Amino acid sequence: MRKTGSHFFASCSSRPARWHPALVTLHWLTLLLVVTQFVIASPMRDETRNLVERFEYYQLHKSVGLTVAGLILLRLVLRLIRPAPPPANPGRLLQLASDAVHAGLYLCLIALPVTGFLTVSSAPLQIPTLYFGWFAVPHPIGPDKATYELMRGLHYWLGNLLLALATLHVAAALVHVLLWRDGLLRRMWFGRREVQPSA
């Protein structure tokens, strides 16, 4: 007989199939950096602050953004060479919804640093991008008002889209943890990766 709902999850393994530790590390590090970006966005745009302080916030925002881009590219490479655990969601529709949200998150996490970097590169007022103060990152293009306005608008809306998708992602995780209690969150944490078949 086919099992659904809580009966399905009651038959699941007590030790879930986990993601590779490197991917787990990148996942939580990326989350920390993205939260940092949203935290510093407000003081960065606060025109009541002095210019030196705002300059430092902008440099931090740009540096963290470039770091996120590098981590996402590394994560995509690892996804190609490391096998993914079996799908966590029972049913095709749930899995399709999960895949769509994850694809949207990846798209935003790649597009946001790109549009942000193109925004500062095409800005009428050219301010160098100093990666954590260590070295200057060359801008790929020069000042261009049309490109600046386009990239700034895209960057803003992509940020809102990322926030919406992240909210869906967290809500779905809470459903798994609090309602279905299927151990899903342990898939994206450290520990033994073997799957123990249920008795």
Side-chain angles (χ1 to χ4, degrees), residues 44-162:
M44 181 182 74
R45 295 192 295 261
D46 185 359
E47 295 184 357
T48 64
R49 295 176 180 269
N50 64 69
L51 292 178
V52 174
E53 191 175 5
R54 291 185 66 198
F55 174 82
E56 292 175 348
Y57 275 116
Y58 268 102
Q59 293 298 336
L60 178 60
H61 187 77
K62 291 188 286 184
S63 298
V64 172
L66 291 172
T67 304
V68 169
L71 293 180
I72 291 299
L73 291 177
L74 178 58
R75 189 169 172 179
L76 289 173
V77 170
L78 287 175
R79 285 291 304 273
L80 294 176
I81 62 179
R82 293 292 182 180
N89 295 298
R92 181 172 176 79
L93 289 180
L94 280 176
Q95 190 58 46
L96 286 175
S98 174
D99 291 344
V101 171
H102 280 90
L105 287 170
Y106 272 112
L107 175 62
C108 288
L109 290 172
I110 293 173
L112 273 166
V114 171
T115 54
F117 195 48
L118 290 177
T119 297
V120 299
S121 299
S122 60
L125 178 61
Q126 286 289 290
I127 300 176
T129 296
L130 306 176
Y131 187 75
F132 292 111
W134 299 336
F135 55 87
V137 181
H139 293 168
I141 59 176
D144 184 270
K145 185 177 180 180
T147 301
Y148 170 73
E149 295 294 342
L150 175 62
M151 291 299 109
R152 187 174 66 167
L154 286 174
H155 192 70
Y156 173 79
W157 288 110
L158 284 166
N160 289 333
L161 178 58
L162 175 63

Side-chain angles (χ1 to χ4, degrees), residues 10-30:
S11 67
C12 289
S13 165
S14 60
R15 179 177 296 161
R18 300 178 188 269
W19 287 96
H20 189 276
L23 288 165
V24 173
T25 301
L26 290 174
H27 173 273
W28 293 109
L29 183 55
T30 301

